Amino acid sequence: MTTDMHRAVSYHRRYVLRLHESDGFDDLGGFSLKNTFCLYLSWLILFICLKKGIKSSGKAVYFTATFPYVIMLVLLVRGLTLPGYEKGIAFYMTPQVHRLTDANVWGDAATQVFFTLSAGYGGVVTMSSFNKFNNNCELDAVIVAFVNCVSSILSGFTVFSILGFMAHITNQDIESVVHQGFHTTLAQKLFDQG
């Protein structure tokens, strides 16, 4: 397992990001044709989905709205089959009441809610403008808020089951497995071993 993870980290750093070609943020490296092609392809797919207006985007939403849940459920099932998942789920479900007095926790929570609901970004308002005049907007708002909460809880179980596994294979506490930012202790450890 660690060899596969080392390959994944090495592939991401060397092939996708090409970190070995740069000296830091001052020198980001040259033009990446494959990344440009992927960006072009994603914009092309977006154009195809939206070229006929709301009719074509409505059909695309059937896939784009459900596919992340399918992937999340697959990752959750996989995470629950890994050794040590209990440690991550227990950490996720254990409340840390003393942190409720920290204003940064409340600020992070508000940021997360605004981000997941896309409140103030215009997407929800734009899509709701296509509703019928007599649509029950209150019911829609309750459904969106409920689905948002369920999605956050489901993703928490998914992430922390994997974190429990990472803590298990590195013999660390959950708190020290992943640090804020782009690099994880596990990835750094695996990359340094190679």
Side-chain angles (χ1 to χ4, degrees):
M1 183 66 181
T2 56
T3 305
D4 291 338
M5 292 181 84
H6 173 68
R7 284 188 198 135
V9 170
S10 180
Y11 172 81
H12 182 69
R13 287 186 177 189
R14 296 186 61 83
Y15 185 74
V16 176
L17 299 177
R18 298 191 314 194
L19 291 179
H20 65 286
E21 296 177 10
S22 81
D23 295 328
F25 284 116
D26 297 336
D27 175 35
L28 294 178
F31 181 75
S32 173
L33 189 60
K34 65 183 172 304
N35 287 345
T36 304
F37 176 73
C38 288
L39 182 63
Y40 172 76
L41 187 63
S42 65
W43 277 105
L44 181 66
I45 291 169
L46 185 66
F47 171 75
I48 291 169
C49 290
L50 297 177
K51 74 178 182 177
K52 292 184 180 176
I54 193 67
K55 291 182 182 180
S56 63
S57 67
K59 292 174 185 165
V61 166
Y62 288 127
F63 175 76
T64 60
T66 56
F67 186 68
Y69 289 100
V70 171
I71 294 299
M72 202 174 347
L73 286 172
V74 168
L75 290 174
L76 177 63
V77 169
R78 175 64 180 139
L80 294 176
T81 62
L82 296 171
Y85 78 92
E86 310 93 354
K87 195 176 187 181
I89 299 295
F91 182 81
Y92 177 58
M93 296 304 294
T94 304
Q96 298 176 357
V97 179
H98 67 279
R99 299 208 50 208
L100 291 177
T101 59
D102 186 6
N104 290 330
V105 171
W106 290 99
D108 291 343
T111 302
Q112 180 66 24
V113 168
F114 272 94
F115 177 73
T116 57
L117 286 174
S118 300
Y121 296 119
V124 174
V125 175
T126 302
M127 295 308 285
S128 66
S129 68
F130 293 104
N131 283 338
K132 295 177 184 172
F133 184 75
N134 295 326
N135 188 48
N136 189 352
C137 292
E138 291 176 1
L139 178 63
D140 289 349
V142 169
I143 290 171
V144 166
F146 178 76
V147 169
N148 178 49
C149 290
V150 169
S151 301
S152 296
I153 292 168
L154 179 64
S155 63
F157 276 108
T158 303
V159 167
F160 278 93
S161 67
I162 303 293
L163 286 178
F165 169 67
M166 291 171 65
H168 176 75
I169 64 171
T170 58
N171 292 325
Q172 296 180 357
D173 292 331
I174 298 286
E175 299 92 359
S176 57
V177 171
V178 177
H179 299 283
Q180 187 174 6
F182 296 111
H183 301 288
T184 65
T185 305
L186 176 64
Q188 190 65 42
K189 185 184 259 188
L190 293 173
F191 190 72
D192 292 341
Q193 287 176 359

